[in-house]
Amino acid sequence: MTEFKRTTENVDEIERLVQSVVEGGEATEVQRLSQLVGNTIPVIQKLRNKAEETDPVKQTYGPQMREKVRGLVARWEAMEGLARDVLQQQGSDVAPVGSQVPPLATERPLSSAQVEAPPVQPSRGQHGPAIGAGLASNSISRAAAASPSQSQRGQRERAAAA
């Protein structure tokens, strides 16, 4: 899975957690939200820097991917402020980069055959497993998150993929 896809899934998870915490979520959800936000910030910055590279020799992304990254960054910017506000209301703050993200009670426990994925590290060239992989459900109220509706986002993603 690419860094962009993992980060997109993390932003989806953050949106879901913000909605859950606003609706009276548990302390584990607040902690998970804090850690996901802390681990996502440097990755978003890294993706943004790659997308904004103007030197053709150093460019990592083509025009379509740059647009996708810009869309993710715009989504993140709206969500980051909201997530920080929600954390502050809960008496919490953004966790430091590299914090372990605890599983939610609704997630299946790891079997002995599975290995827990470490958090995404913001170092250059390192591609770690996704944080919260498989939790891309997105039930947040878009109006509360100040981001486009799911249908609008889906239309943009389909247009960008075409």
PDB file of all heavy atoms in Angstrom, residues 73-106:
ATOM      1  N   VAL A  73      -4.473  17.104   1.125  1.00  0.00           N
ATOM      2  CA  VAL A  73      -3.963  18.156   2.004  1.00  0.00           C
ATOM      3  C   VAL A  73      -5.090  19.124   2.374  1.00  0.00           C
ATOM      4  O   VAL A  73      -5.219  19.517   3.538  1.00  0.00           O
ATOM      5  CB  VAL A  73      -2.766  18.895   1.357  1.00  0.00           C
ATOM      6  CG1 VAL A  73      -2.417  20.167   2.113  1.00  0.00           C
ATOM      7  CG2 VAL A  73      -1.553  17.971   1.278  1.00  0.00           C
ATOM      8  N   ALA A  74      -5.932  19.484   1.415  1.00  0.00           N
ATOM      9  CA  ALA A  74      -7.059  20.381   1.702  1.00  0.00           C
ATOM     10  C   ALA A  74      -8.024  19.730   2.699  1.00  0.00           C
ATOM     11  O   ALA A  74      -8.483  20.390   3.644  1.00  0.00           O
ATOM     12  CB  ALA A  74      -7.787  20.737   0.412  1.00  0.00           C
ATOM     13  N   ARG A  75      -8.309  18.447   2.506  1.00  0.00           N
ATOM     14  CA  ARG A  75      -9.159  17.707   3.455  1.00  0.00           C
ATOM     15  C   ARG A  75      -8.526  17.710   4.836  1.00  0.00           C
ATOM     16  O   ARG A  75      -9.192  17.895   5.843  1.00  0.00           O
ATOM     17  CB  ARG A  75      -9.295  16.252   2.988  1.00  0.00           C
ATOM     18  CG  ARG A  75     -10.633  15.887   2.483  1.00  0.00           C
ATOM     19  CD  ARG A  75     -10.664  14.420   2.083  1.00  0.00           C
ATOM     20  NE  ARG A  75     -10.898  13.574   3.243  1.00  0.00           N
ATOM     21  CZ  ARG A  75     -10.552  12.313   3.313  1.00  0.00           C
ATOM     22  NH1 ARG A  75      -9.949  11.715   2.329  1.00  0.00           N
ATOM     23  NH2 ARG A  75     -10.810  11.614   4.389  1.00  0.00           N
ATOM     24  N   TRP A  76      -7.227  17.440   4.873  1.00  0.00           N
ATOM     25  CA  TRP A  76      -6.504  17.366   6.137  1.00  0.00           C
ATOM     26  C   TRP A  76      -6.519  18.703   6.864  1.00  0.00           C
ATOM     27  O   TRP A  76      -6.689  18.746   8.079  1.00  0.00           O
ATOM     28  CB  TRP A  76      -5.072  16.895   5.902  1.00  0.00           C
ATOM     29  CG  TRP A  76      -4.228  17.050   7.108  1.00  0.00           C
ATOM     30  CD1 TRP A  76      -3.226  17.943   7.314  1.00  0.00           C
ATOM     31  CD2 TRP A  76      -4.323  16.299   8.331  1.00  0.00           C
ATOM     32  NE1 TRP A  76      -2.681  17.785   8.564  1.00  0.00           N
ATOM     33  CE2 TRP A  76      -3.352  16.779   9.211  1.00  0.00           C
ATOM     34  CE3 TRP A  76      -5.153  15.259   8.749  1.00  0.00           C
ATOM     35  CZ2 TRP A  76      -3.176  16.269  10.480  1.00  0.00           C
ATOM     36  CZ3 TRP A  76      -4.978  14.748  10.017  1.00  0.00           C
ATOM     37  CH2 TRP A  76      -4.005  15.252  10.873  1.00  0.00           C
ATOM     38  N   GLU A  77      -6.297  19.789   6.140  1.00  0.00           N
ATOM     39  CA  GLU A  77      -6.248  21.096   6.780  1.00  0.00           C
ATOM     40  C   GLU A  77      -7.550  21.408   7.507  1.00  0.00           C
ATOM     41  O   GLU A  77      -7.529  21.940   8.621  1.00  0.00           O
ATOM     42  CB  GLU A  77      -5.908  22.177   5.755  1.00  0.00           C
ATOM     43  CG  GLU A  77      -4.445  22.109   5.331  1.00  0.00           C
ATOM     44  CD  GLU A  77      -4.083  23.031   4.183  1.00  0.00           C
ATOM     45  OE1 GLU A  77      -5.000  23.553   3.502  1.00  0.00           O
ATOM     46  OE2 GLU A  77      -2.886  23.228   3.960  1.00  0.00           O
ATOM     47  N   ALA A  78      -8.682  21.073   6.900  1.00  0.00           N
ATOM     48  CA  ALA A  78      -9.971  21.290   7.562  1.00  0.00           C
ATOM     49  C   ALA A  78     -10.118  20.354   8.768  1.00  0.00           C
ATOM     50  O   ALA A  78     -10.591  20.756   9.831  1.00  0.00           O
ATOM     51  CB  ALA A  78     -11.115  21.061   6.577  1.00  0.00           C
ATOM     52  N   MET A  79      -9.677  19.124   8.610  1.00  0.00           N
ATOM     53  CA  MET A  79      -9.849  18.123   9.662  1.00  0.00           C
ATOM     54  C   MET A  79      -8.878  18.331  10.822  1.00  0.00           C
ATOM     55  O   MET A  79      -9.242  18.124  11.977  1.00  0.00           O
ATOM     56  CB  MET A  79      -9.661  16.724   9.070  1.00  0.00           C
ATOM     57  CG  MET A  79      -9.873  15.594  10.040  1.00  0.00           C
ATOM     58  SD  MET A  79     -11.396  15.658  11.007  1.00  0.00           S
ATOM     59  CE  MET A  79     -12.626  15.908   9.781  1.00  0.00           C
ATOM     60  N   GLU A  80      -7.667  18.760  10.545  1.00  0.00           N
ATOM     61  CA  GLU A  80      -6.669  18.909  11.606  1.00  0.00           C
ATOM     62  C   GLU A  80      -7.125  19.913  12.658  1.00  0.00           C
ATOM     63  O   GLU A  80      -7.052  19.656  13.858  1.00  0.00           O
ATOM     64  CB  GLU A  80      -5.318  19.346  11.038  1.00  0.00           C
ATOM     65  CG  GLU A  80      -4.258  19.503  12.124  1.00  0.00           C
ATOM     66  CD  GLU A  80      -2.943  20.066  11.609  1.00  0.00           C
ATOM     67  OE1 GLU A  80      -2.913  20.622  10.501  1.00  0.00           O
ATOM     68  OE2 GLU A  80      -1.951  19.954  12.352  1.00  0.00           O
ATOM     69  N   GLY A  81      -7.613  21.054  12.227  1.00  0.00           N
ATOM     70  CA  GLY A  81      -8.087  22.067  13.173  1.00  0.00           C
ATOM     71  C   GLY A  81      -9.254  21.555  13.999  1.00  0.00           C
ATOM     72  O   GLY A  81      -9.306  21.767  15.223  1.00  0.00           O
ATOM     73  N   LEU A  82     -10.169  20.868  13.348  1.00  0.00           N
ATOM     74  CA  LEU A  82     -11.318  20.304  14.059  1.00  0.00           C
ATOM     75  C   LEU A  82     -10.865  19.248  15.064  1.00  0.00           C
ATOM     76  O   LEU A  82     -11.322  19.232  16.212  1.00  0.00           O
ATOM     77  CB  LEU A  82     -12.319  19.714  13.063  1.00  0.00           C
ATOM     78  CG  LEU A  82     -13.593  19.146  13.645  1.00  0.00           C
ATOM     79  CD1 LEU A  82     -14.387  20.232  14.371  1.00  0.00           C
ATOM     80  CD2 LEU A  82     -14.441  18.531  12.544  1.00  0.00           C
ATOM     81  N   ALA A  83      -9.952  18.384  14.645  1.00  0.00           N
ATOM     82  CA  ALA A  83      -9.454  17.333  15.539  1.00  0.00           C
ATOM     83  C   ALA A  83      -8.744  17.936  16.746  1.00  0.00           C
ATOM     84  O   ALA A  83      -8.942  17.482  17.883  1.00  0.00           O
ATOM     85  CB  ALA A  83      -8.512  16.393  14.778  1.00  0.00           C
ATOM     86  N   ARG A  84      -7.938  18.965  16.524  1.00  0.00           N
ATOM     87  CA  ARG A  84      -7.250  19.632  17.634  1.00  0.00           C
ATOM     88  C   ARG A  84      -8.263  20.242  18.613  1.00  0.00           C
ATOM     89  O   ARG A  84      -8.086  20.156  19.827  1.00  0.00           O
ATOM     90  CB  ARG A  84      -6.301  20.711  17.119  1.00  0.00           C
ATOM     91  CG  ARG A  84      -5.035  20.162  16.509  1.00  0.00           C
ATOM     92  CD  ARG A  84      -4.141  21.311  16.008  1.00  0.00           C
ATOM     93  NE  ARG A  84      -2.964  20.834  15.351  1.00  0.00           N
ATOM     94  CZ  ARG A  84      -1.815  20.545  15.960  1.00  0.00           C
ATOM     95  NH1 ARG A  84      -1.704  20.670  17.251  1.00  0.00           N
ATOM     96  NH2 ARG A  84      -0.779  20.116  15.269  1.00  0.00           N
ATOM     97  N   ASP A  85      -9.311  20.872  18.070  1.00  0.00           N
ATOM     98  CA  ASP A  85     -10.355  21.460  18.924  1.00  0.00           C
ATOM     99  C   ASP A  85     -11.055  20.391  19.755  1.00  0.00           C
ATOM    100  O   ASP A  85     -11.285  20.567  20.949  1.00  0.00           O
ATOM    101  CB  ASP A  85     -11.383  22.224  18.093  1.00  0.00           C
ATOM    102  CG  ASP A  85     -10.829  23.504  17.485  1.00  0.00           C
ATOM    103  OD1 ASP A  85      -9.738  23.947  17.904  1.00  0.00           O
ATOM    104  OD2 ASP A  85     -11.490  24.051  16.576  1.00  0.00           O
ATOM    105  N   VAL A  86     -11.384  19.273  19.122  1.00  0.00           N
ATOM    106  CA  VAL A  86     -12.064  18.178  19.825  1.00  0.00           C
ATOM    107  C   VAL A  86     -11.152  17.620  20.914  1.00  0.00           C
ATOM    108  O   VAL A  86     -11.597  17.376  22.041  1.00  0.00           O
ATOM    109  CB  VAL A  86     -12.504  17.076  18.831  1.00  0.00           C
ATOM    110  CG1 VAL A  86     -12.933  15.810  19.554  1.00  0.00           C
ATOM    111  CG2 VAL A  86     -13.635  17.588  17.940  1.00  0.00           C
ATOM    112  N   LEU A  87      -9.873  17.438  20.596  1.00  0.00           N
ATOM    113  CA  LEU A  87      -8.928  16.938  21.601  1.00  0.00           C
ATOM    114  C   LEU A  87      -8.815  17.911  22.769  1.00  0.00           C
ATOM    115  O   LEU A  87      -8.802  17.494  23.934  1.00  0.00           O
ATOM    116  CB  LEU A  87      -7.552  16.690  20.973  1.00  0.00           C
ATOM    117  CG  LEU A  87      -7.450  15.482  20.055  1.00  0.00           C
ATOM    118  CD1 LEU A  87      -6.140  15.499  19.284  1.00  0.00           C
ATOM    119  CD2 LEU A  87      -7.614  14.190  20.835  1.00  0.00           C
ATOM    120  N   GLN A  88      -8.750  19.193  22.472  1.00  0.00           N
ATOM    121  CA  GLN A  88      -8.645  20.200  23.526  1.00  0.00           C
ATOM    122  C   GLN A  88      -9.890  20.169  24.417  1.00  0.00           C
ATOM    123  O   GLN A  88      -9.783  20.261  25.640  1.00  0.00           O
ATOM    124  CB  GLN A  88      -8.464  21.586  22.917  1.00  0.00           C
ATOM    125  CG  GLN A  88      -8.207  22.664  23.946  1.00  0.00           C
ATOM    126  CD  GLN A  88      -7.951  24.016  23.303  1.00  0.00           C
ATOM    127  OE1 GLN A  88      -8.267  24.244  22.133  1.00  0.00           O
ATOM    128  NE2 GLN A  88      -7.384  24.921  24.075  1.00  0.00           N
ATOM    129  N   GLN A  89     -11.067  20.014  23.828  1.00  0.00           N
ATOM    130  CA  GLN A  89     -12.306  19.936  24.607  1.00  0.00           C
ATOM    131  C   GLN A  89     -12.311  18.715  25.524  1.00  0.00           C
ATOM    132  O   GLN A  89     -12.938  18.725  26.573  1.00  0.00           O
ATOM    133  CB  GLN A  89     -13.520  19.888  23.687  1.00  0.00           C
ATOM    134  CG  GLN A  89     -13.801  21.188  22.985  1.00  0.00           C
ATOM    135  CD  GLN A  89     -14.898  21.057  21.945  1.00  0.00           C
ATOM    136  OE1 GLN A  89     -15.408  19.960  21.697  1.00  0.00           O
ATOM    137  NE2 GLN A  89     -15.278  22.172  21.335  1.00  0.00           N
ATOM    138  N   GLN A  90     -11.591  17.687  25.123  1.00  0.00           N
ATOM    139  CA  GLN A  90     -11.521  16.454  25.917  1.00  0.00           C
ATOM    140  C   GLN A  90     -10.359  16.481  26.911  1.00  0.00           C
ATOM    141  O   GLN A  90     -10.075  15.486  27.566  1.00  0.00           O
ATOM    142  CB  GLN A  90     -11.385  15.235  24.994  1.00  0.00           C
ATOM    143  CG  GLN A  90     -12.566  15.016  24.077  1.00  0.00           C
ATOM    144  CD  GLN A  90     -13.822  14.699  24.836  1.00  0.00           C
ATOM    145  OE1 GLN A  90     -13.807  13.919  25.783  1.00  0.00           O
ATOM    146  NE2 GLN A  90     -14.931  15.299  24.437  1.00  0.00           N
ATOM    147  N   GLY A  91      -9.652  17.600  26.966  1.00  0.00           N
ATOM    148  CA  GLY A  91      -8.522  17.716  27.893  1.00  0.00           C
ATOM    149  C   GLY A  91      -7.291  16.978  27.404  1.00  0.00           C
ATOM    150  O   GLY A  91      -6.437  16.585  28.198  1.00  0.00           O
ATOM    151  N   SER A  92      -7.180  16.793  26.115  1.00  0.00           N
ATOM    152  CA  SER A  92      -6.052  16.072  25.539  1.00  0.00           C
ATOM    153  C   SER A  92      -5.347  16.975  24.535  1.00  0.00           C
ATOM    154  O   SER A  92      -5.783  18.091  24.281  1.00  0.00           O
ATOM    155  CB  SER A  92      -6.555  14.792  24.860  1.00  0.00           C
ATOM    156  OG  SER A  92      -5.470  14.004  24.424  1.00  0.00           O
ATOM    157  N   ASP A  93      -4.264  16.479  23.976  1.00  0.00           N
ATOM    158  CA  ASP A  93      -3.509  17.212  22.975  1.00  0.00           C
ATOM    159  C   ASP A  93      -3.012  16.210  21.944  1.00  0.00           C
ATOM    160  O   ASP A  93      -3.137  15.000  22.118  1.00  0.00           O
ATOM    161  CB  ASP A  93      -2.338  17.947  23.633  1.00  0.00           C
ATOM    162  CG  ASP A  93      -1.802  19.085  22.771  1.00  0.00           C
ATOM    163  OD1 ASP A  93      -2.389  19.379  21.714  1.00  0.00           O
ATOM    164  OD2 ASP A  93      -0.788  19.679  23.157  1.00  0.00           O
ATOM    165  N   VAL A  94      -2.399  16.711  20.894  1.00  0.00           N
ATOM    166  CA  VAL A  94      -1.851  15.849  19.855  1.00  0.00           C
ATOM    167  C   VAL A  94      -0.645  15.112  20.417  1.00  0.00           C
ATOM    168  O   VAL A  94       0.245  15.722  21.013  1.00  0.00           O
ATOM    169  CB  VAL A  94      -1.454  16.686  18.619  1.00  0.00           C
ATOM    170  CG1 VAL A  94      -0.761  15.824  17.579  1.00  0.00           C
ATOM    171  CG2 VAL A  94      -2.677  17.366  18.028  1.00  0.00           C
ATOM    172  N   ALA A  95      -0.625  13.806  20.238  1.00  0.00           N
ATOM    173  CA  ALA A  95       0.476  12.982  20.736  1.00  0.00           C
ATOM    174  C   ALA A  95       1.724  13.213  19.891  1.00  0.00           C
ATOM    175  O   ALA A  95       1.640  13.593  18.719  1.00  0.00           O
ATOM    176  CB  ALA A  95       0.081  11.505  20.687  1.00  0.00           C
ATOM    177  N   PRO A  96       2.905  12.984  20.465  1.00  0.00           N
ATOM    178  CA  PRO A  96       4.141  13.144  19.701  1.00  0.00           C
ATOM    179  C   PRO A  96       4.237  12.121  18.570  1.00  0.00           C
ATOM    180  O   PRO A  96       3.646  11.044  18.632  1.00  0.00           O
ATOM    181  CB  PRO A  96       5.243  12.920  20.739  1.00  0.00           C
ATOM    182  CG  PRO A  96       4.591  12.295  21.910  1.00  0.00           C
ATOM    183  CD  PRO A  96       3.133  12.579  21.835  1.00  0.00           C
ATOM    184  N   VAL A  97       4.988  12.479  17.549  1.00  0.00           N
ATOM    185  CA  VAL A  97       5.203  11.600  16.397  1.00  0.00           C
ATOM    186  C   VAL A  97       5.808  10.286  16.868  1.00  0.00           C
ATOM    187  O   VAL A  97       6.656  10.263  17.747  1.00  0.00           O
ATOM    188  CB  VAL A  97       6.141  12.284  15.380  1.00  0.00           C
ATOM    189  CG1 VAL A  97       6.469  11.343  14.225  1.00  0.00           C
ATOM    190  CG2 VAL A  97       5.515  13.553  14.863  1.00  0.00           C
ATOM    191  N   GLY A  98       5.352   9.197  16.285  1.00  0.00           N
ATOM    192  CA  GLY A  98       5.879   7.882  16.617  1.00  0.00           C
ATOM    193  C   GLY A  98       5.142   7.190  17.740  1.00  0.00           C
ATOM    194  O   GLY A  98       5.514   6.092  18.138  1.00  0.00           O
ATOM    195  N   SER A  99       4.073   7.800  18.250  1.00  0.00           N
ATOM    196  CA  SER A  99       3.285   7.171  19.316  1.00  0.00           C
ATOM    197  C   SER A  99       2.590   5.932  18.787  1.00  0.00           C
ATOM    198  O   SER A  99       2.149   5.887  17.649  1.00  0.00           O
ATOM    199  CB  SER A  99       2.215   8.141  19.832  1.00  0.00           C
ATOM    200  OG  SER A  99       2.810   9.296  20.354  1.00  0.00           O
ATOM    201  N   GLN A 100       2.510   4.934  19.633  1.00  0.00           N
ATOM    202  CA  GLN A 100       1.783   3.722  19.273  1.00  0.00           C
ATOM    203  C   GLN A 100       0.296   4.009  19.289  1.00  0.00           C
ATOM    204  O   GLN A 100      -0.209   4.618  20.219  1.00  0.00           O
ATOM    205  CB  GLN A 100       2.109   2.580  20.245  1.00  0.00           C
ATOM    206  CG  GLN A 100       3.526   2.085  20.147  1.00  0.00           C
ATOM    207  CD  GLN A 100       3.822   1.421  18.814  1.00  0.00           C
ATOM    208  OE1 GLN A 100       2.981   0.744  18.238  1.00  0.00           O
ATOM    209  NE2 GLN A 100       5.019   1.623  18.314  1.00  0.00           N
ATOM    210  N   VAL A 101      -0.408   3.566  18.268  1.00  0.00           N
ATOM    211  CA  VAL A 101      -1.842   3.789  18.165  1.00  0.00           C
ATOM    212  C   VAL A 101      -2.544   2.548  18.695  1.00  0.00           C
ATOM    213  O   VAL A 101      -2.424   1.472  18.126  1.00  0.00           O
ATOM    214  CB  VAL A 101      -2.248   4.066  16.704  1.00  0.00           C
ATOM    215  CG1 VAL A 101      -3.743   4.281  16.599  1.00  0.00           C
ATOM    216  CG2 VAL A 101      -1.498   5.267  16.172  1.00  0.00           C
ATOM    217  N   PRO A 102      -3.305   2.683  19.815  1.00  0.00           N
ATOM    218  CA  PRO A 102      -3.971   1.517  20.385  1.00  0.00           C
ATOM    219  C   PRO A 102      -5.161   1.104  19.531  1.00  0.00           C
ATOM    220  O   PRO A 102      -5.805   1.948  18.898  1.00  0.00           O
ATOM    221  CB  PRO A 102      -4.452   2.016  21.753  1.00  0.00           C
ATOM    222  CG  PRO A 102      -4.675   3.478  21.537  1.00  0.00           C
ATOM    223  CD  PRO A 102      -3.614   3.899  20.560  1.00  0.00           C
ATOM    224  N   PRO A 103      -5.484  -0.196  19.498  1.00  0.00           N
ATOM    225  CA  PRO A 103      -6.670  -0.628  18.762  1.00  0.00           C
ATOM    226  C   PRO A 103      -7.920  -0.210  19.523  1.00  0.00           C
ATOM    227  O   PRO A 103      -7.912  -0.078  20.743  1.00  0.00           O
ATOM    228  CB  PRO A 103      -6.537  -2.154  18.710  1.00  0.00           C
ATOM    229  CG  PRO A 103      -5.682  -2.486  19.892  1.00  0.00           C
ATOM    230  CD  PRO A 103      -4.768  -1.306  20.099  1.00  0.00           C
ATOM    231  N   LEU A 104      -8.991   0.002  18.781  1.00  0.00           N
ATOM    232  CA  LEU A 104     -10.275   0.301  19.408  1.00  0.00           C
ATOM    233  C   LEU A 104     -10.906  -0.993  19.890  1.00  0.00           C
ATOM    234  O   LEU A 104     -10.598  -2.082  19.392  1.00  0.00           O
ATOM    235  CB  LEU A 104     -11.212   0.978  18.411  1.00  0.00           C
ATOM    236  CG  LEU A 104     -10.816   2.386  17.990  1.00  0.00           C
ATOM    237  CD1 LEU A 104     -11.757   2.889  16.907  1.00  0.00           C
ATOM    238  CD2 LEU A 104     -10.840   3.322  19.178  1.00  0.00           C
ATOM    239  N   ALA A 105     -11.828  -0.884  20.819  1.00  0.00           N
ATOM    240  CA  ALA A 105     -12.516  -2.065  21.337  1.00  0.00           C
ATOM    241  C   ALA A 105     -13.294  -2.770  20.234  1.00  0.00           C
ATOM    242  O   ALA A 105     -13.534  -3.967  20.300  1.00  0.00           O
ATOM    243  CB  ALA A 105     -13.446  -1.670  22.470  1.00  0.00           C
ATOM    244  N   THR A 106     -13.695  -2.036  19.187  1.00  0.00           N
ATOM    245  CA  THR A 106     -14.469  -2.629  18.102  1.00  0.00           C
ATOM    246  C   THR A 106     -13.606  -3.389  17.113  1.00  0.00           C
ATOM    247  O   THR A 106     -14.117  -4.109  16.283  1.00  0.00           O
ATOM    248  CB  THR A 106     -15.241  -1.542  17.336  1.00  0.00           C
ATOM    249  OG1 THR A 106     -14.300  -0.581  16.843  1.00  0.00           O
ATOM    250  CG2 THR A 106     -16.274  -0.876  18.212  1.00  0.00           C
TER     251      THR A 106
END
